[in-house]
Amino acid sequence: VHGTCHGDCCSDGSIEACDARCGGSGCCSPKKDETGCTHGTYSCSDGCGGYRDCCKICDPEDRNCNCPGKVYCGDTKTGSGASCTSGGKTFYETCLVKETCVPRFIGGGTYIAAPNSYEDRNYTYIRPYCTTQTGQTLNLYVGCQSQVEGVQGKCYGKQVCPNNVGHQNNGSIEPCQCAGNYWFDKCDDTCNLNDLTANGGTCGANAGNSISGHYYVKDKCTTLSGQVVKYWGMCERRDCLGNKGPCYGKTRCSGGAIAVDPCTCGGYTYGSSCVVKCPYEQTAADCSSGQTFTQRCKDNAGTWYGECK
């Protein structure tokens, strides 16, 4: 009956329903649906021309499989809420647009701030800078002593001085006020050479390393140029701290005088008394009648020596 018949079928010329070689469509047992699927199912072939349920095998890049219900925000948005990682990416419940227009210092003495803000009162307005996601416009401001886009800060070119002591080039001592500071064209030096009288004594002020007849007491201050001014006490008196000098109460011996109980300080010699060599040996008692006694020098006892003539 059929040209494709062979020795083990179609012996009676009938169609074998299960043998495609004998004109039949073939017999088939379809595969069953898969169950217990972790990632859900999809429709697949049952092996007999029909369809069945097959388990999904989750693709790491497929967030709908690993992170259902979540979204990837990328680099332009900020994720919010619970997160889930899949394929090296993080997915979130929702994505928020990043706000790039925010108040901040942007360098070069410039600031971004809202109108009528703290910055607005301290700094100088330049122009509108950006608009926030909510529609607020932020402005660009320049700092106290900076210059941006041709706009100068209110204290441009000025400086803050120690102890707020300075003056303006026009002669005024009134400072420019900005950001809680006082600004001047030039700082005045508060470190001077004024003497100090205190504690029953006196100190002189000098920037040198020594003063004749004086000894170092303590540093007073440092000038704007970095020079140290020092307090000096007189060797024979009390200083401004109330301390006695190294040669306190003694007399400076000069002019060839010899110091008794000598003390050296500040390049000078001091003594409880000062004496000189006296080459004269006559006293007034040595003079004869008619002679006149000329005083030349006296000893520590107060006796005068001189000449009888």
Side-chain angles (χ1 to χ4, degrees):
V1 178
H2 300 286
T4 57
C5 285
H6 49 86
D8 59 355
C9 70
C10 306
S11 59
D12 59 357
S14 62
I15 295 176
E16 293 289 340
C18 291
D19 194 338
R21 294 174 301 174
C22 298
S25 60
C27 294
C28 184
S29 298
K31 296 179 181 179
K32 296 181 179 180
D33 291 336
E34 295 180 351
T35 60
C37 300
T38 303
H39 304 296
T41 62
Y42 67 98
S43 181
C44 63
S45 172
D46 63 1
C48 295
Y51 298 93
R52 65 179 181 130
D53 291 334
C54 292
C55 291
K56 285 184 177 181
I57 298 175
C58 209
D59 180 354
E61 293 287 344
D62 184 4
R63 64 145 179 114
N64 290 317
C65 179
N66 274 341
C67 301
K70 293 183 171 55
V71 292
Y72 178 61
C73 299
D75 297 329
T76 59
K77 296 182 181 180
T78 300
S80 177
S83 64
C84 173
T85 300
S86 176
K89 298 179 180 179
T90 301
F91 299 85
Y92 294 90
E93 291 181 353
T94 185
C95 294
L96 304 176
V97 177
K98 290 182 179 179
E99 179 60 84
T100 58
C101 183
V102 293
R104 66 189 186 278
F105 173 71
I106 59 175
T110 55
Y111 301 79
I112 301 173
N116 302 316
S117 64
Y118 173 80
E119 289 84 352
D120 189 18
R121 294 193 299 273
N122 281 327
Y123 304 125
T124 303
Y125 169 80
I126 299 178
R127 59 176 173 82
Y129 185 81
C130 60
T131 302
T132 67
Q133 296 292 333
T134 58
Q136 182 186 25
T137 298
L138 301 185
N139 295 331
L140 184 65
Y141 297 91
V142 63
C144 299
Q145 59 170 165
S146 300
Q147 178 176 249
V148 178
E149 297 182 4
V151 179
Q152 295 180 351
K154 59 178 66 176
C155 299
Y156 176 72
K158 300 182 185 296
Q159 59 186 312
V160 175
C161 297
N163 301 317
N164 292 325
V165 178
H167 65 273
Q168 312 301 352
N169 290 334
N170 61 6
S172 171
I173 61 173
E174 290 298 323
C176 175
Q177 299 184 40
C178 182
N181 292 317
Y182 297 99
W183 306 79
F184 300 85
D185 287 327
K186 186 175 181 179
C187 295
D188 296 329
D189 206 333
T190 58
C191 184
N192 53 47
L193 300 180
N194 295 341
D195 295 345
L196 174 63
T197 300
N199 302 306
T202 301
C203 288
N206 191 282
N209 292 322
S210 64
I211 304 179
S212 298
H214 291 72
Y215 63 95
Y216 170 78
V217 176
K218 65 175 183 176
D219 289 352
K220 177 183 179 182
C221 55
T222 302
T223 66
L224 293 177
S225 63
Q227 192 173 31
V228 178
V229 175
K230 305 170 183 177
Y231 275 131
W232 302 85
M234 298 181 68
C235 295
E236 73 278 22
R237 299 182 184 179
R238 287 185 183 274
D239 61 32
C240 54
L241 299 180
N243 300 319
K244 293 179 180 179
C247 300
Y248 179 76
K250 296 188 176 185
T251 302
R252 191 177 82 185
C253 298
S254 59
I258 301 172
V260 177
D261 186 19
C263 168
T264 301
C265 173
Y268 294 128
T269 300
Y270 299 78
S272 55
S273 63
C274 301
V275 297
V276 294
K277 291 181 179 180
C278 185
Y280 302 94
E281 297 181 353
Q282 293 178 316
T283 65
D286 295 327
C287 295
S288 301
S289 176
Q291 288 185 313
T292 301
F293 179 70
T294 303
Q295 295 179 344
R296 297 297 185 185
C297 51
K298 67 178 178 178
D299 61 15
N300 288 335
T303 301
W304 280 97
Y305 294 86
E307 298 177 281
C308 293
K309 290 184 179 182

